[in-house]
Amino acid sequence: MDIILCHTTADFDALGAAVGLTCLKPGSKIVLTGGSHPPVRDFLALYRDEYSLIERRSVNPEKIRSLMVVDTQQRDRLGKAAAWLDLPHIQEIIVYDHHLTQDSNIPTTKLYIDKVGATTTLMVEELQKRHISINPAQATVMALGIHVDTGSLTYDQSTPRDALALAWLMQQGASLSVIATYRDPGLSPQLQKLLTQSLENLEYICFRGYTIGGVTLKTDNFVPGLSALASELVELTEIDALLLAHEYLLEDGEVRLTVIGRSQITHTNLNLLFQPFDGGGHSQAASFNIRTTDSQSILQQLLAGLKSQIPHPPTARDLMSSPVRTIRPETTIAEAQRILLRYGHSGLSVVNHQDKLVGIISRRDLDIALHHGFNHAPVKGYMTTNLKTITPDATLPQIEYLMVTYDIGRLPVLENENLVGIVTRTDVLRELHQADATDEEIDQKSENNITLPQLQAKLKPQLWQLLNIASQAAEKRGWHLYLVGGAVRDLLLAEAQTGTLMINDIDLVVDGFHQAADVGAGVELAKALQSIYQDARLEIHGAFQTAALLWHKHRELNSLWVDIATSRTEFYPYPAANPEVEASSIRQDLYRRDFTINAMALRLTSPRSGELLDFFGGLLDLQAKEIRVLHPNSFIEDPTRIYRGVRFAVRFGFAIEQRTKEYINYAINSGVYDRTTQENVKTPALQTRLKTELKHILEAPYWQSALQLLDDLGALQCIHPTLKLDIDILQELRLLEKLIIIYLRSCEKQQILHPFLHPWQMRLELLIAHLEPQYTTKVAKNLQLADDSINRLKKLAEMQTEVISLLPSCELPSQIVHLLKKYDAPTLMLVALKSPRKVRRKIWYYLTNLANVQPLLNGNDLKQLGYKPSPIFKKILDDLLTATLDGTIKDESESREFLAKHYPR
């Protein structure tokens, strides 16, 4: 016998799931283990014969083959039937449920649990998968299960899967009239009387902007259907949360306490709140039954627990943008429009010469003035002066009320009559969207945050200590401190890895304008840190007063670079220029960055330390392994972002997102880089910053893949419009790599250092050398390469001609050395790449065997032998070197004989 068990006081979801399971497992029987909800009881009074229901007492335990439990994972909710779980001959125990947060104490052989609004949905999906049809009676009770448990798809736990399941059940003939009758059957006379009593005795508590209702009902006996009474109370009173308690006295003197909870407050979870009392349900609706002698202390505990779950309502200080972009009343309409376009705002605050707010002008106001030709008129004639303002402590409901009532798009935030921020419709809508997030989205966001113990465990102790000291120093000054950019990205990427990280390049951002932080906050914090870390070098740079602390080969911090800045935004006056920066908020600071994966911040200061700020979907892109740019004009403003994007893509094994590729192609093909180079003397993004990015790429182990990707994107045109990888360049790059490896090994073997050889620079010079001769020097100077590189590229063709014409005739080693010793190793390598094989072999023989051969006697030896220093010393040493190279002399004794013969004293 196959038995399906519903939990005690079975609801429609338990019954509907059980009926669905009988369709999946023909011959199985349903046992209601202990009563049912009143609507279920009334429904079964008419429709019981439609379903495979049997009484518990009619089951012979010895004949049970398998047990299937629906809508619960707790054995104590199975009444006396729970004893069947321990029968030794049971072959299979399967549980079907949708309560993810419950811990199962049933010994299952299989557990099917998924995050849907109703367990019945899981049965419908399996029926669809197996192409099993059901009759209208079965479809009706299953549809009731989904309707009741999801509030007809209005509860937070409802999912699209529940809606699709309901649609299929309607196709199977579910009766809408029956569903309407039993989904909301109305209150019985007893419950109607208790409703009146509840309304008279309901107590209200206002907490953090929400209203919580509580009432205790006392009767002589158990009252069924109190959940319907609770729902009716919430609907009639429009309260945000309800705790409905019911007490009746048992024969032994104890009290049977039933508590039913309802909540419409975001982030509260009644299921979690009731679990210590073996209760259950959902985040918005849950209940429990216990025996107790002190019900009042339990109710007080529940109220305190519910209040602790209610989040602080957002205030203007949390929502506002700061600092505020302001203009004077005398500013012209045209200039105000230019400022709006520059910063992408929808309105500007107008302040007088005492910096007191006197008006606001919106984009709409400016458009009207421009339409009528008043470009040069002052904004004071068009600005709104009848202003509604708020304080930093204004709550979200208050802000929303003002905006809706007065149709205001932006509310200035004043503190002591000073303008400290502004809240816009966008800020409010963003917060409301976050408030409407599903439990799953909220849980996901919480999982993404990093607790301080987790951060401490992930970082090297000395690095954690530094960040902890920095955050404490910021908190003392009333500022927020954030770890931003690549360090956050690397922490998230390393989440699944073991061991600790020693990040060598850290960016910290101070944000706290409403707490008196100014543009020098980053410098002030850096100085405070240096007073503790006195071995760090402090650098203050830029007009914006950013600072850096640097350690070089420190015994604990290694070579660490910590940049500290105040949050800022930036504007590019023309493509490829250096950006102009201005004070701003952390959100705007992150928006100025290149890619979403680098535009995240981790809050280090309290409250909400460890909170991940991810306004642009960076975490999702990390998980999807995609490089996505933040805004369309990013590559036009700064072409080096193309190179950074390629570097990140190859380094992490990510793909460049398709739309981002299109933006790259547009920027390159638009010709904007050529035009800006012609129109502006300085284009740092195509000069120093481009060289820096090239250095990062060409010295990395993945440089070949990165270079190929740059070529595929057409991005080598940023170096020069004609540069493109071809077969010749690729062959020479491969050959150069062999030459560099063998040469460096040779130097290492001979214990010779050659600091002038930089492999990344050699690769870059090779690329430039493939341009037409009239471009090579210009490109090298534009990239601000070292003088030796510029001279090498300038004279490369001339040197190559000389070597190719003369070297073949050099047969003796000394002839090869005397021809080639005037050239350094990088020059000879470039020459070798473009030379015939015979010439290349001789160059190679020189670099690896001859270049470092020295005469067996030096100038000091000559003096000891009695030779007086004179110009002839050079000729003597050259002749000694020649004889040594050609094997004429092999040791010092033969060297002295050579001197005695050719240069007698």
Side-chain angles (χ1 to χ4, degrees):
M1 180 181 290
D2 299 313
I3 298 295
I4 301 168
L5 299 178
C6 297
H7 55 71
T8 54
T9 319
D11 56 17
F12 272 116
D13 187 30
L15 180 60
V19 169
L21 198 49
T22 62
C23 301
L24 291 168
K25 200 167 184 67
S28 55
K29 302 296 181 182
I30 302 171
V31 173
L32 302 180
T33 59
S36 58
H37 283 194
V40 175
R41 181 196 61 209
D42 295 343
F43 175 83
L44 289 177
L46 289 176
Y47 298 97
R48 176 180 294 272
D49 293 340
E50 300 289 336
Y51 313 113
S52 301
L53 285 160
I54 60 173
E55 298 286 338
R56 178 180 57 82
R57 60 189 176 184
S58 67
V59 176
N60 183 352
E62 298 298 325
K63 294 185 178 181
I64 299 175
R65 180 173 53 199
S66 68
L67 291 170
M68 290 163 281
V69 181
V70 294
D71 204 35
T72 185
Q73 302 169 56
Q74 303 294 314
R75 66 181 296 146
D76 55 4
R77 295 200 68 197
L78 299 178
K80 294 181 179 180
W84 296 346
L85 298 171
D86 302 321
L87 294 173
H89 62 274
I90 298 295
Q91 299 176 9
E92 192 173 44
I93 299 176
I94 307 174
V95 170
Y96 300 85
D97 195 17
H98 69 126
H99 300 99
L100 295 183
T101 57
Q102 286 189 359
D103 293 327
S104 177
N105 58 8
I106 295 175
T108 60
T109 53
K110 292 180 183 177
L111 177 63
Y112 297 99
I113 180 170
D114 209 345
K115 192 170 181 62
V116 289
T119 305
T120 305
T121 297
L122 301 177
M123 305 306 169
V124 172
E125 291 176 341
E126 190 62 28
L127 288 168
Q128 289 177 287
K129 189 185 300 183
R130 300 191 196 179
H131 304 287
I132 298 174
S133 297
I134 59 178
N135 63 44
Q138 294 164 333
T140 299
V141 72
M142 294 178 73
L144 270 168
I146 299 175
H147 269 288
V148 171
D149 240 36
T150 65
S152 293
L153 303 178
T154 63
Y155 293 164
D156 282 351
Q157 68 265 20
S158 304
T159 69
R161 293 165 63 182
D162 300 302
L164 292 171
L166 277 176
W168 184 81
L169 291 169
M170 288 178 66
Q171 291 174 339
Q172 300 296 306
S175 172
L176 297 181
S177 61
V178 174
I179 292 170
T181 300
Y182 292 98
R183 191 192 73 81
D184 187 14
L187 300 180
S188 66
Q190 184 184 19
L191 290 177
Q192 290 177 13
K193 183 178 179 181
L194 290 174
L195 175 62
T196 302
Q197 183 181 336
S198 299
L199 290 170
E200 291 174 353
N201 296 291
L202 191 65
E203 296 181 357
Y204 299 92
I205 298 171
C206 291
F207 184 73
R208 292 179 181 170
Y210 297 101
T211 302
I212 305 171
V215 64
T216 300
L217 302 174
K218 297 183 178 182
T219 64
D220 296 332
N221 299 293
F222 171 74
V223 177
L226 286 173
S227 60
L229 174 60
S231 299
E232 189 75 12
L233 267 176
V234 171
E235 187 173 340
L236 288 174
T237 59
E238 297 185 348
I239 57 178
D240 300 301
L242 170 70
L243 292 175
L244 172 64
H246 173 235
E247 297 178 1
Y248 66 93
L249 196 64
L250 299 172
E251 292 180 358
D252 59 5
E254 285 193 325
V255 171
R256 170 66 72 176
L257 174 65
T258 300
V259 178
I260 298 171
R262 296 288 186 269
S263 177
Q264 302 179 72
I265 304 173
T266 305
H267 304 336
T268 56
N269 190 326
L270 295 176
N271 180 47
L272 188 64
L273 183 65
F274 288 2
Q275 278 184 8
F277 305 97
D278 294 325
H282 304 287
S283 59
Q284 291 182 302
S287 64
F288 67 83
N289 292 282
I290 60 170
R291 297 167 65 104
T292 180
T293 57
D294 189 5
S295 59
Q296 285 306 307
S297 65
I298 293 175
L299 293 174
Q300 290 173 4
Q301 179 182 342
L302 289 174
L303 179 60
L306 179 59
K307 289 167 69 174
S308 70
Q309 289 184 346
I310 298 175
H312 288 274
T315 64
R317 194 183 298 280
D318 301 315
L319 302 174
M320 70 186 188
S321 297
S322 175
V324 183
R325 199 76 54 199
T326 61
I327 56 174
R328 301 292 186 201
E330 300 79 21
T331 306
T332 65
I333 294 293
E335 176 63 11
Q337 178 75 354
R338 186 192 69 79
I339 293 172
L340 276 188
L341 291 174
R342 172 171 178 166
Y343 296 105
H345 294 337
S346 58
L348 292 169
S349 298
V350 185
V351 297
N352 61 21
H353 290 279
Q354 287 75 44
D355 289 330
K356 301 301 180 184
L357 182 70
V358 295
I360 284 183
I361 191 160
S362 68
R363 184 185 298 275
R364 183 167 49 187
D365 300 328
L366 292 173
D367 288 342
I368 292 172
L370 289 169
H371 176 73
H372 292 292
F374 294 106
N375 302 45
H376 300 291
V379 297
K380 63 183 178 183
Y382 293 86
M383 69 186 185
T384 300
T385 56
N386 184 21
L387 302 176
K388 298 292 180 184
T389 63
I390 53 178
T391 66
D393 297 324
T395 63
L396 179 60
Q398 294 170 330
I399 296 168
E400 189 179 2
Y401 172 79
L402 286 174
M403 286 187 169
V404 172
T405 304
Y406 298 101
D407 190 23
I408 300 172
R410 56 199 62 79
L411 286 168
V413 184
L414 300 184
E415 188 171 35
N416 299 325
E417 298 186 0
N418 295 316
L419 182 63
V420 295
I422 194 158
V423 177
T424 67
R425 280 196 188 99
T426 302
D427 298 323
V428 172
L429 291 174
R430 184 184 296 113
E431 187 64 32
L432 291 174
H433 171 73
Q434 292 175 355
D436 289 337
T438 64
D439 289 344
E440 186 173 0
E441 291 170 331
I442 294 166
D443 292 344
Q444 182 65 44
K445 184 176 180 181
S446 299
E447 288 174 7
N448 296 337
N449 293 337
I450 300 175
T451 65
L452 292 188
Q454 288 173 324
L455 184 61
Q456 182 177 1
K458 183 53 63 178
L459 295 174
K460 292 286 187 184
Q462 56 270 31
L463 188 54
W464 157 253
Q465 183 181 23
L466 171 66
L467 293 180
N468 193 36
I469 291 172
S471 65
Q472 290 175 6
E475 282 184 11
K476 286 180 182 178
R477 292 162 174 79
W479 303 336
H480 305 317
L481 184 66
Y482 296 92
L483 179 68
V484 301
V488 178
R489 177 201 66 219
D490 292 344
L491 274 172
L492 292 171
L493 284 174
E495 190 174 2
Q497 300 174 6
T498 57
T500 55
L501 292 176
M502 183 64 204
I503 302 171
N504 294 318
D505 191 353
I506 287 178
D507 286 332
L508 298 176
V509 169
V510 179
D511 178 35
F513 285 91
H514 55 281
Q515 294 289 349
D518 56 26
V519 293
V523 174
E524 182 180 337
L525 184 59
K527 288 180 177 178
L529 286 176
Q530 197 201 26
S531 68
I532 300 171
Y533 292 92
Q534 296 182 6
D535 49 357
R537 187 171 88 252
L538 174 65
E539 289 186 0
I540 300 173
H541 45 80
F544 191 70
Q545 290 284 289
T546 59
L549 289 171
L550 297 89
W551 290 262
H552 181 63
K553 295 184 179 179
H554 188 269
R555 65 182 182 278
E556 291 183 345
L557 296 172
N558 201 359
S559 294
L560 176 64
W561 182 301
V562 179
D563 263 313
I564 308 176
T566 313
S567 55
R568 59 202 191 273
T569 188
E570 62 187 23
F571 174 76
Y572 289 80
Y574 56 86
N578 276 329
E580 298 173 2
V581 293
E582 297 179 4
S584 188
S585 65
I586 184 64
R587 179 187 292 272
Q588 290 166 309
D589 188 278
L590 294 174
Y591 185 65
R592 72 183 179 83
R593 296 171 187 271
D594 47 18
F595 304 100
T596 58
I597 63 171
N598 296 329
M600 294 180 285
L602 192 67
R603 185 166 176 164
L604 299 176
T605 45
S606 299
R608 302 196 304 275
S609 55
E611 179 183 20
L612 179 69
L613 273 62
D614 179 18
F615 303 114
F616 315 110
L619 184 62
L620 290 175
D621 289 330
L622 268 185
Q623 293 167 347
K625 297 187 175 182
E626 280 193 334
I627 304 295
R628 180 164 57 89
V629 76
L630 275 174
H631 35 86
N633 291 324
S634 185
F635 301 121
I636 288 177
E637 293 175 340
D638 186 356
T640 60
R641 287 174 176 159
I642 302 174
Y643 283 68
R644 284 203 295 277
V646 166
R647 177 156 57 90
F648 295 138
V650 178
R651 173 184 167 189
F652 299 125
F654 286 12
I656 297 178
E657 181 252 352
Q658 183 57 38
R659 191 68 173 154
T660 300
K661 283 185 180 179
E662 292 172 6
Y663 292 143
I664 292 173
N665 292 333
Y666 175 78
I668 292 170
N669 296 330
S670 68
V672 65
Y673 302 147
D674 292 337
R675 291 195 301 274
T676 195
T677 302
Q678 294 169 10
E679 295 169 2
N680 302 280
V681 176
K682 291 184 177 180
T683 54
L686 292 169
Q687 296 172 326
T688 51
R689 298 211 307 272
L690 179 58
K691 173 190 150 186
T692 300
E693 282 303 321
L694 282 166
K695 181 176 184 293
H696 286 320
I697 287 174
L698 292 174
E699 69 182 1
Y702 47 77
W703 69 268
Q704 290 167 300
S705 300
L707 200 60
Q708 186 62 63
L709 182 53
L710 284 170
D711 185 60
D712 293 341
L713 294 169
L716 294 179
Q717 294 180 40
C718 294
I719 301 174
H720 192 269
T722 64
L723 184 58
K724 185 170 179 59
L725 292 186
D726 56 25
I727 294 176
D728 291 340
I729 292 180
L730 291 172
Q731 286 178 341
E732 288 184 16
L733 282 169
R734 283 192 288 269
L735 180 57
L736 175 64
E737 209 56 22
K738 292 179 182 178
L739 297 182
I740 290 174
I741 291 171
I742 297 173
Y743 177 68
L744 291 178
R745 284 176 181 170
S746 172
C747 292
E748 183 180 354
K749 185 177 180 180
Q750 299 177 60
Q751 297 183 336
I752 299 168
L753 295 177
H754 279 283
F756 52 83
L757 182 70
H758 303 291
W760 76 267
Q761 186 173 297
M762 292 296 306
R763 295 161 190 147
L764 179 56
E765 288 183 26
L766 186 154
L767 294 174
I768 297 173
H770 266 269
L771 298 174
E772 293 295 325
Q774 65 267 31
Y775 301 134
T776 53
T777 303
K778 181 179 178 181
V779 169
K781 288 181 177 179
N782 185 64
L783 291 175
Q784 299 181 8
L785 296 185
D787 289 341
D788 63 326
S789 290
I790 295 173
N791 291 331
R792 182 161 42 248
L793 289 166
K794 183 178 181 179
K795 299 177 181 179
L796 184 59
E798 176 186 333
M799 293 184 290
Q800 183 175 333
T801 300
E802 181 181 27
V803 171
I804 291 175
S805 63
L806 298 178
L807 191 57
S809 60
C810 297
E811 297 298 335
L812 295 174
S814 60
Q815 294 173 322
I816 296 173
V817 170
H818 288 305
L819 174 63
L820 300 182
K821 68 180 181 180
K822 59 183 176 181
Y823 305 118
D824 58 20
T827 299
L828 289 175
M829 286 188 184
L830 290 180
V831 169
L833 296 175
K834 297 179 179 295
S835 300
R837 180 171 297 181
K838 184 178 180 181
V839 172
R840 187 162 63 243
R841 284 178 175 172
K842 288 190 176 182
I843 293 175
W844 205 238
Y845 177 61
Y846 165 77
L847 287 173
T848 55
N849 291 279
L850 304 179
N852 297 304
V853 175
Q854 299 294 325
L856 297 174
L857 299 176
N858 56 33
N860 290 328
D861 295 326
L862 293 181
K863 284 190 253 182
Q864 289 178 2
L865 291 172
Y867 292 91
K868 293 183 179 180
S870 67
I872 201 172
F873 261 39
K874 182 178 185 307
K875 178 171 175 50
I876 294 173
L877 292 173
D878 283 344
D879 287 348
L880 281 171
L881 176 60
T882 298
T884 301
L885 289 166
D886 294 339
T888 305
I889 54 178
K890 299 180 179 62
D891 53 34
E892 288 189 18
S893 175
E894 290 183 359
S895 296
R896 290 188 180 90
E897 292 175 4
F898 178 86
L899 287 175
K901 180 178 179 181
H902 296 282
Y903 295 97
R905 287 176 309 206

